Amino acid sequence: MIKDQIGIDTTRIRNIEVRSINLEKLFSDQYNGVNNKVKRLSGDRYVNEETGEIIPSFQINDNLFFGEFIVRIVPDYKQVNGTTKRMYTYMKIGAGHVYMDNRNNISIEVYRQYLEEIVVYYMEERYGIEICFQDAEFEELEINVTIPIMGEFSKYRRVLSLFESNLPGRGYFMSTKNKSNTAGKESNQYGKFNNSEVFVMYNKSRAIREKYRNQREREKEKSKLFLKAQFSPNQAYKEFMTRLYDQFESNMECEECIRFEVRLFNKGKNRSRGTSTNKIERFLNVEKASIRKITDPKIKVCYEKYLEKMLLIPFGNWYKKDKKYLRKLIVEYKERYKNAWQGYFYPRLWEKEIQRETLVLIDFRHLKDILNFKIKSRNIDMKHNRTKVLKSFIERAKKYEDGNLFLENDSDKIIEVFDKLKFDYQELFLENSIDLIPKQLRKEKNND
């Protein structure tokens, strides 16, 4: 079941303290009959001054309780002579390591508890590494919220395309990059990205289905649950994994949903290029991206504000500008084609949507709002007979093979998304003269 809560998923954390390593255990071929995936990396070696222990550079690909763990011994260029070595450590870990998969995110509180109660024990037990997360910091952080939707994801394509086209800031569009929203094809992700940030809206239900797409993949994922139950140091977590294993077949199903996700990169998405900004600190308004000091309320407040900045406010600005454009177009077509203007105007709307690769008209509720105007000086009164005009457009739309897109009530989908993201949008709608809320829903909101 999808939980529409704000939380975190994929992370990359650094500054993990390595207190000691049992090299024999680390480089053993197996643990309890399961092959270890540990390899030495080229580079310097580090000598622990307290124990005299020699630590090489290495990489663990675990994919059970975490993704990967890397220790690199590198020169410490902060030292004057440049010969001192330092240890650089990082770990990749996400919600899919805590649960069966990552259809639901996790709170920072659950994340910390998992690291300290599960991962710390497991690292020493299986790999002979004593670690501490006391000073660990986020280098990459994903924050998201997933909302269940009333229809299939494909039915929300035009709405998400509109949101994408309005996204503020520099960067590249996701659906433009993969070219899958043109020529009648449908994209499964919409968003914008640059070197330090990715914002994406995508089909999470499809991603989960892909994870269990065939028998081989299903068996692979099920075996992971079995191993996690076997290797778990915590009895409660062991029982949780066992329960997921027993209920695996039914838990594979995932309801239709959209994930709204931001990925923040302190060292740049393309790490070879790097970035000069501490994106995570700036996003959360904290001095240091410490996993111990960042809180769930802080993440929630900052992400809610971010979503409003990316989706709600740009939509209000677009609607105001689009209304002005469409009314001007109506006046132009009425003056040019007189009583025959509707026959020319409707195909023009469709052509514009194809040219722009994003919608110009949401639906006929949107058009009804557009038609609510009159210009006395030019003897144009659309308000007077807009019901008749609207009915004419609807009948015309039914005759077009592709014209039914304007009949799909995409206004309802926009309101649905805003409601499920818990936006307080009524004031913004009032300020920008947005009349999209159905009468019944408007009555319900007024009674609340």
Side-chain angles (χ1 to χ4, degrees):
M1 182 181 226
I2 296 298
K3 298 177 182 177
D4 58 345
Q5 62 187 21
I6 292 173
I8 67 173
D9 186 3
T10 305
T11 68
R12 176 181 171 123
I13 50 177
R14 63 185 181 89
N15 287 353
I16 302 161
E17 182 186 354
V18 177
R19 292 179 171 174
S20 67
I21 299 181
N22 182 330
L23 293 178
E24 183 180 349
K25 201 170 190 179
L26 174 64
F27 292 110
S28 60
D29 294 332
Q30 290 188 335
Y31 170 75
N32 285 354
V34 179
N35 291 336
N36 285 336
K37 295 180 181 179
V38 182
K39 64 178 180 178
R40 293 178 185 266
L41 302 175
S42 60
D44 294 311
R45 295 185 300 170
Y46 176 82
V47 180
N48 189 320
E49 294 181 357
E50 294 182 6
T51 63
E53 195 173 29
I54 298 175
I55 301 175
S57 296
F58 63 89
Q59 176 175 337
I60 301 173
N61 294 314
D62 184 73
N63 293 323
L64 278 180
F65 291 90
F66 59 91
E68 66 179 17
F69 177 68
I70 288 184
V71 170
R72 286 192 181 276
I73 309 305
V74 297
D76 189 350
Y77 293 109
K78 292 182 180 180
Q79 299 296 324
V80 177
N81 57 18
T83 59
T84 307
K85 306 294 188 296
R86 70 179 180 88
M87 189 185 303
Y88 172 70
T89 59
Y90 77 78
M91 177 180 283
K92 285 187 175 181
I93 190 166
H97 298 114
V98 180
Y99 300 137
M100 174 175 161
D101 52 48
N102 70 339
R103 74 187 69 189
N104 287 312
N105 55 42
I106 53 177
S107 67
I108 192 75
E109 184 179 349
V110 167
Y111 180 85
R112 280 195 294 262
Q113 185 179 4
Y114 179 78
L115 289 177
E116 293 165 1
E117 295 183 9
I118 306 294
V119 177
V120 168
Y121 175 90
Y122 174 71
M123 286 289 285
E124 187 166 10
E125 172 65 23
R126 180 170 184 177
Y127 300 108
I129 307 173
E130 183 185 355
I131 60 172
C132 177
F133 293 100
Q134 179 67 36
D135 298 319
E137 298 175 25
F138 290 113
E139 194 172 84
E140 296 176 11
L141 176 63
E142 178 186 307
I143 306 172
N144 65 57
V145 62
T146 307
I147 61 169
I149 51 179
M150 296 175 67
E152 295 178 4
F153 180 89
S154 60
K155 297 296 184 181
Y156 292 73
R157 177 181 61 83
R158 296 177 73 242
V159 170
L160 293 174
S161 176
L162 174 63
F163 290 160
E164 181 190 62
S165 67
N166 291 331
L167 289 174
R170 294 182 178 182
Y172 303 92
F173 289 117
M174 304 289 271
S175 62
T176 302
K177 181 187 175 188
N178 60 37
K179 301 292 183 183
S180 56
N181 66 331
T182 58
K185 296 181 181 179
E186 296 178 353
S187 175
N188 279 293
Q189 61 175 11
Y190 300 82
K192 211 170 190 180
F193 68 96
N194 55 44
N195 191 38
S196 59
E197 176 185 324
V198 173
F199 177 68
V200 62
M201 305 164 283
Y202 68 97
N203 188 347
K204 190 61 186 176
S205 42
R206 174 172 173 171
I208 296 299
R209 286 194 294 268
E210 283 291 310
K211 187 178 181 70
Y212 308 112
R213 61 185 177 276
N214 55 48
Q215 187 62 32
R216 181 181 177 182
E217 292 299 321
R218 289 194 289 273
E219 290 299 325
K220 179 181 173 183
E221 294 303 320
K222 190 174 182 180
S223 68
K224 286 182 180 179
L225 296 177
F226 176 79
L227 291 176
K228 291 184 79 170
Q230 293 296 108
F231 298 163
S232 176
N234 182 299
Q235 184 59 32
Y237 192 69
K238 185 183 186 76
E239 291 173 0
F240 175 56
M241 285 294 112
T242 301
R243 189 162 60 252
L244 288 179
Y245 177 83
D246 293 339
Q247 300 171 353
F248 181 79
E249 298 299 327
S250 59
N251 286 336
M252 285 192 303
E253 298 300 320
C254 182
E255 60 198 292
E256 287 290 314
C257 56
I258 305 173
R259 172 160 287 186
F260 297 83
E261 175 178 296
V262 63
R263 305 166 194 163
L264 307 169
F265 306 89
N266 264 5
K267 289 198 171 182
K269 182 175 182 287
N270 181 349
R271 294 176 60 81
S272 62
R273 286 173 52 199
T275 179
S276 60
T277 60
N278 291 328
K279 188 67 182 181
I280 297 171
E281 287 86 346
R282 293 170 62 197
F283 186 93
L284 295 173
N285 193 26
V286 293
E287 187 177 340
K288 198 174 183 181
S290 167
I291 67 171
R292 290 190 173 274
K293 293 187 177 179
I294 293 174
T295 63
D296 287 310
K298 168 67 75 173
I299 288 174
K300 184 174 183 294
V301 168
C302 290
Y303 195 51
E304 285 175 342
K305 182 186 278 189
Y306 176 81
L307 286 175
E308 288 188 358
K309 183 187 79 172
M310 298 298 280
L311 300 177
L312 181 60
I313 295 171
F315 175 77
N317 295 334
W318 170 84
Y319 194 94
K320 187 176 181 179
K321 184 178 178 181
D322 187 70
K323 179 185 281 190
K324 186 177 180 181
Y325 165 76
L326 287 178
R327 284 180 175 176
K328 183 180 178 182
L329 200 64
I330 288 171
V331 171
E332 177 186 323
Y333 273 68
K334 272 192 66 66
E335 291 181 339
R336 182 185 299 178
Y337 300 108
K338 309 302 180 186
N339 292 336
W341 74 276
Q342 296 174 39
Y344 293 94
F345 179 75
Y346 186 84
R348 184 61 174 162
L349 291 177
W350 186 236
E351 289 169 12
K352 278 289 184 184
E353 178 158 335
I354 294 173
Q355 288 170 7
R356 294 186 180 185
E357 296 181 0
T358 185
L359 59 86
V360 176
L361 180 73
I362 300 172
D363 55 18
F364 286 111
R365 191 183 305 153
H366 181 198
L367 184 58
K368 184 179 181 181
D369 188 22
I370 299 297
L371 293 170
N372 191 24
F373 77 99
K374 60 182 177 180
I375 305 174
K376 288 184 179 181
S377 60
R378 301 172 83 162
N379 196 30
I380 293 175
D381 188 355
M382 302 306 301
K383 185 184 295 189
H384 178 70
N385 63 346
R386 66 174 178 158
T387 301
K388 181 180 177 182
V389 172
L390 194 65
K391 184 177 179 181
S392 170
F393 273 116
I394 292 173
E395 292 302 317
R396 193 179 300 275
K398 292 176 180 178
K399 296 176 183 178
Y400 280 79
E401 184 179 347
D402 296 318
N404 60 2
L405 285 177
F406 300 138
L407 292 167
E408 291 189 357
N409 300 320
D410 284 334
S411 292
D412 289 343
K413 299 181 183 70
I414 291 172
I415 300 301
E416 178 194 356
V417 169
F418 286 175
D419 278 335
K420 288 179 177 176
L421 290 177
K422 299 177 176 63
F423 287 162
D424 186 7
Y425 55 83
Q426 294 192 62
E427 185 177 340
L428 181 133
F429 275 29
L430 190 62
E431 288 176 0
N432 293 281
S433 300
I434 300 173
D435 187 12
L436 292 181
I437 304 176
K439 287 183 179 180
Q440 184 58 38
L441 185 59
R442 194 179 299 134
K443 289 178 182 178
E444 291 174 5
K445 288 184 178 293
N446 291 334
N447 291 332
D448 288 343

